[in-house]
């Protein structure tokens, strides 16, 4: 009942390929008590490497409601081989794949979703569908902005528009971190090259 799958999980994400190890985030020899012996606060740890995502997420609806990076990217959707004395919940381990599991995928796989901790059954399905629909819209808008910037040629307008586009693309969430900000940046990029 004490097996750990975090090491195995992390092998499936991009962190291992990027050279991130357990000790990058955890201070295994720390004498201080704290959540999982993290080297610093959860969001600060993520933001050290994922600067574009942290900038995009700032001031989002989720950020304002207190949701942090690990709440979605490391949700308690994994489990040990059995419940422990400390936690009787079968789903008791934070996933270290860092993948967000949306409700639709979770239902298909018969597992918990990243949304379960905060949203009820019908609410999470609706919000998951809305998130996917929003990402599809942002993806379309990114393609539209890329085409418009390319067609506008080179120059100050194209450079300025491309900088706005890159803020959205470098986030890698297709607007999931902050749909309003992503859409506003893309619309501004399109407006610049249309002038």
């Amino acid at each position: 009942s004490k097996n750990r799958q975090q090491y195995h999980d992390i092998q499936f994400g991009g962190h291992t390929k990027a050279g991130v190890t357990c000790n990058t985030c955890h201070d295994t020899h720390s004498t201080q008590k704290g959540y999982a012996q993290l080297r610093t606060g959860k969001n600060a740890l993520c933001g050290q490497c994922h600067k574009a995502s942290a900038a995009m997420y700032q001031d989002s609806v989720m950020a304002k409601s207190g949701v942090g990076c690990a709440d979605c990217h490391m949700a308690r959707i994994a489990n040990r081989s059995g419940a422990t004395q400390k936690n009787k919940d079968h789903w008791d381990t934070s996933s270290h794949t860092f993948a967000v599991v949306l409700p639709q995928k979770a239902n298909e796989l018969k597992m918990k979703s990243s949304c379960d901790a905060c949203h009820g059954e019908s609410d999470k399905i609706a919000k998951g569908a809305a998130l996917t629909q929003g990402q599809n819209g942002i993806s379309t808008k990114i393609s539209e902005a890329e085409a418009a910037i390319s067609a506008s040629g080179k120059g100050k307008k194209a450079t300025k528009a491309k900088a706005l586009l890159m803020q959205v693309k470098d986030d890698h969430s297709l607007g999931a971190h902050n749909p309003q900000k992503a859409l506003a940046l893309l619309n501004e990029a399109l407006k610049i090259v249309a002038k």
Side-chain angles (χ1 to χ4, degrees):
S1 67
K2 294 193 185 251
N3 76 320
R4 302 287 185 168
Q5 73 179 53
Q6 292 95 326
Y7 175 79
H8 303 288
D9 278 355
I10 205 166
Q11 303 304 311
F12 292 100
H15 285 94
T16 298
K17 289 177 188 151
V20 175
T21 67
C22 303
N23 289 331
T24 304
C25 300
H26 300 277
D27 183 357
T28 53
H29 298 290
S30 172
T31 56
Q32 293 185 338
K33 300 256 184 218
Y35 181 76
Q37 294 175 295
L38 292 178
R39 293 189 177 277
T40 186
K42 290 187 278 188
N43 293 335
L45 268 174
C46 301
Q48 287 175 353
C49 298
H50 301 282
K51 290 177 180 20
S53 295
M56 183 63 72
Y57 191 67
Q58 188 177 16
D59 297 324
S60 69
V61 171
M62 296 290 265
K64 287 177 182 174
S65 63
V67 176
C69 308
D71 294 320
C72 299
H73 288 276
M74 295 185 74
R76 292 187 181 274
I77 58 174
N79 61 280
R80 296 176 176 103
S81 59
T84 63
Q85 289 288 61
K86 200 161 127 184
N87 190 347
K88 301 290 183 197
D89 185 5
H90 182 63
W91 304 98
D92 62 354
T93 306
S94 295
S95 170
H96 278 62
T97 63
F98 301 95
V100 173
V101 179
L102 293 176
Q104 296 85 334
K105 189 68 173 176
N107 285 346
E108 180 186 316
L109 297 173
K110 308 269 189 275
M111 65 182 289
K112 279 197 165 212
S113 79
S114 298
C115 309
D116 282 11
C118 300
H119 297 284
E121 194 62 36
S122 61
D123 184 44
K124 72 180 179 188
I125 296 292
K127 295 233 191 278
L131 176 67
T132 301
Q133 185 178 5
Q135 286 181 302
N136 291 338
I138 293 294
S139 182
T140 300
K141 189 68 86 168
I142 286 171
S143 296
E144 189 182 327
E146 286 173 332
I149 291 166
S150 179
S152 75
K154 296 183 179 181
K156 289 183 181 179
K157 284 183 184 180
T159 301
K160 190 174 178 182
K162 190 170 183 180
L164 295 171
L165 170 65
M166 292 314 294
Q167 285 183 54
V168 178
K169 288 182 73 174
D170 288 346
D171 170 45
H172 299 287
S173 78
L174 291 175
H177 289 144
N178 193 337
Q180 296 82 7
K181 185 174 182 179
L183 189 58
L185 289 166
L186 293 169
N187 284 335
E188 182 62 24
L190 286 164
K191 186 177 167 184
I192 288 167
V193 291
K195 291 179 184 175

